[in-house]
């Protein structure tokens, strides 16, 4: 007996996985925002979370900057997966006619969000390198979930190209619809 997995089943699986990732990213962003606020207002020793106590002791302002980088990247990732979840949940992806304005906008939003994630990740990497050269013991980018800035930029360029292709496909589709 052969089991055939079709597009609807794959989309259902992707929907479930997207929800799981989205919830995880929301929790991650919330943890960063809460811990940064808690550290600055209630208990500075809480900066040991993510091994950032040395950074806090070096400069609370730099600690805030690091937490802002981590929060922005996590929030942008959560927004990205929110849009994916929304698109899959509302069934906006029409396989029979994929060149729609909604899909075009979706691809461009993904490109812009990817670019933002890459930009802030690269900015944080430069900042962390500067901190390291000034003798601050700081965790690596992977531990801070700030790695892969250049990969995010690369992905945004690819998505932007795909968005331009979709834009042209939408124009052709609307011409065909007007002809009929």
């Amino acid at each position: 007996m052969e089991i055939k997995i079709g597009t609807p089943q794959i989309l259902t699986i992707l929907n479930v996985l997207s929800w799981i990732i989205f919830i995880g990213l929301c929790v991650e962003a919330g943890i960063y925002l809460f811990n940064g606020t808690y550290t600055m207002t209630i208990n500075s020793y809480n900066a040991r979370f993510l091994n950032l106590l040395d950074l806090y002791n070096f400069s609370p302002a730099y600690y805030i900057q690091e937490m802002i980088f981590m929060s922005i990247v996590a929030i942008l990732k959560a927004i990205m997966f929110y849009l994916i979840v929304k698109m899959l949940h509302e069934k906006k992806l029409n396989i029979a006619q994929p060149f729609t304005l909604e899909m075009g906008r979706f691809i461009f939003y993904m490109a812009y969000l990817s670019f933002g994630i890459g930009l802030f990740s690269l900015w944080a990497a430069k900042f962390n390198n500067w901190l390291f050269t000034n003798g601050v013991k700081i965790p690596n980018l992977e531990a801070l979930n700030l790695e892969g800035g250049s990969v995010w930029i690369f992905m945004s360029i690819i998505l932007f190209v795909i968005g331009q292709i979709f834009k042209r496909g939408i124009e052709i589709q609307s011409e065909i619809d007007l002809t009929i």
Side-chain angles (χ1 to χ4, degrees):
M1 183 167 114
E2 185 178 318
I3 297 175
K4 185 176 179 186
I5 299 176
T7 303
Q9 291 84 11
I10 291 173
L11 289 176
T12 302
I13 292 168
L14 289 174
N15 190 12
V16 171
L17 289 175
S18 296
W19 268 105
I20 292 168
I21 294 169
F22 171 65
I23 291 168
L25 289 170
C26 287
V27 169
E28 178 185 342
I31 287 171
Y32 294 153
L33 290 170
F34 174 79
N35 278 299
T37 304
Y38 184 82
T39 298
M40 295 309 297
T41 58
I42 297 173
N43 184 1
S44 63
Y45 189 68
N46 192 55
R48 71 187 187 291
F49 176 73
L50 291 172
N51 297 322
L52 293 175
L53 188 57
D54 287 340
L55 176 59
Y56 182 83
N57 290 334
F58 180 73
S59 170
Y62 291 153
Y63 172 81
I64 291 170
Q65 188 173 347
E66 187 73 26
M67 292 306 291
I68 287 172
F69 283 137
M70 293 165 53
S71 298
I72 288 173
V73 168
I75 289 168
L76 289 175
K77 288 177 184 177
I79 291 170
M80 179 180 272
F81 272 89
Y82 168 76
L83 292 175
I84 292 170
V85 163
K86 183 179 174 191
M87 189 257 314
L88 290 172
H89 181 72
E90 294 176 356
K91 299 188 184 344
K92 299 256 180 170
L93 180 60
N94 183 357
I95 300 298
Q97 199 171 30
F99 296 104
T100 62
L101 285 173
E102 290 151 349
M103 271 313 287
R105 266 191 300 254
F106 172 78
I107 292 170
F108 279 112
Y109 287 155
M110 294 293 111
Y112 298 140
L113 287 167
S114 297
F115 184 77
I117 293 167
L119 186 70
F120 281 101
S121 294
L122 289 174
W123 193 3
K126 294 277 188 197
F127 177 66
N128 285 6
N129 285 338
W130 179 81
L131 288 171
F132 184 74
T133 59
N134 284 304
V136 179
K137 183 183 170 195
I138 191 156
N140 61 17
L141 294 174
E142 290 81 19
L144 300 174
N145 291 325
L146 293 170
E147 75 283 358
S150 57
V151 174
W152 284 101
I153 298 288
F154 182 69
M155 184 170 107
S156 73
I157 292 168
I158 291 171
L159 286 171
F160 189 73
V161 169
I162 292 171
Q164 291 299 322
I165 293 168
F166 258 76
K167 186 176 177 182
R168 181 64 185 136
I170 292 166
E171 291 170 0
I172 292 170
Q173 186 70 43
S174 65
E175 289 173 9
I176 289 171
D177 290 344
L178 289 175
T179 306
I180 296 174

